[in-house]
Amino acid sequence: MVITTKVFGEIEIDDAKIITFEGGIIGFPDLKRFTLLYDSEKTGGIKWLQSLDEPAFAMPVMDPLAVKETYNPVVEDELLKPLGELDPEEILVLVTVTVPSDLTKMSVNLQAPLVINAENKKGCQIIVDNEGGEFPVKFMVYDILQKKKERAGE
């Protein structure tokens, strides 16, 4: 399949790389087919969840452990049923990234992770229990990423 994307231009997508979110994602219930894209030259850990249903739509995402090493919310098994049989080694968890014009205000949403079964390419977005307030919708990450970048350059 060939699509023209806003971020990456025209790209070819292998059918094996299509991730299906049967219930859509929050705010976009009609978008169900996605793929993960990234620029190997300048990732900074950020990938793009590219819609195949609406090629102009791509959302920046990243591994939450890159910015919060203790990220491990308790999730009801019922919420993960759409993913089928889960092997812990095949679970990919991503969080959405908000990149405003003022990069120092960059944040990730720890309350609504995207969970993907890498084996069968099924995904879902869930809302985690945030009773203790440890999974904010806007978890500021700019300083964390800058420190990691500085350490990598040493």
Side-chain angles (χ1 to χ4, degrees):
M1 160 187 302
V2 176
I3 63 169
T4 302
T5 70
K6 186 175 175 182
V7 178
F8 292 93
E10 190 174 281
I11 55 170
E12 188 168 341
I13 306 294
D14 181 342
D15 286 352
K17 304 269 186 209
I18 297 173
I19 304 164
T20 305
F21 287 78
E22 289 298 331
I25 58 175
I26 296 171
F28 304 93
D30 296 334
L31 302 183
K32 302 195 185 294
R33 297 176 315 131
F34 293 86
T35 194
L36 275 174
L37 302 175
Y38 61 95
D39 182 341
S40 57
E41 307 253 327
K42 52 181 179 183
T43 64
I46 295 178
K47 296 178 171 74
W48 293 88
L49 188 66
Q50 172 66 57
S51 171
L52 302 180
D53 299 317
E54 177 52 61
F57 180 83
M59 183 172 14
V61 295
M62 72 184 320
D63 179 345
L65 298 176
V67 292
K68 186 169 173 75
E69 292 175 6
T70 59
Y71 187 74
N72 189 19
V74 175
V75 177
E76 299 284 330
D77 289 342
E78 188 68 28
L79 296 175
L80 299 176
K81 274 194 173 173
L83 302 181
E85 193 66 37
L86 284 174
D87 173 350
E89 296 292 314
E90 295 293 328
I91 297 173
L92 175 63
V93 178
L94 299 167
V95 290
T96 58
V97 181
T98 300
V99 186
S101 56
D102 178 355
L103 289 180
T104 64
K105 304 225 182 319
M106 186 185 326
S107 65
V108 296
N109 181 347
L110 296 179
Q111 195 172 2
L114 300 157
V115 183
I116 299 167
N117 182 337
E119 193 171 316
N120 66 12
K121 305 293 186 286
K122 289 186 178 185
C124 66
Q125 187 171 23
I126 59 174
I127 304 293
V128 299
D129 181 5
N130 195 30
E131 200 170 293
E134 66 180 305
F135 305 119
V137 171
K138 285 190 174 274
F139 181 73
M140 306 310 271
V141 297
Y142 180 81
D143 289 339
I144 297 167
L145 294 174
Q146 284 303 107
K147 284 180 183 153
K148 282 189 170 213
K149 196 176 187 179
E150 288 168 14
R151 273 186 259 145
E154 291 178 353

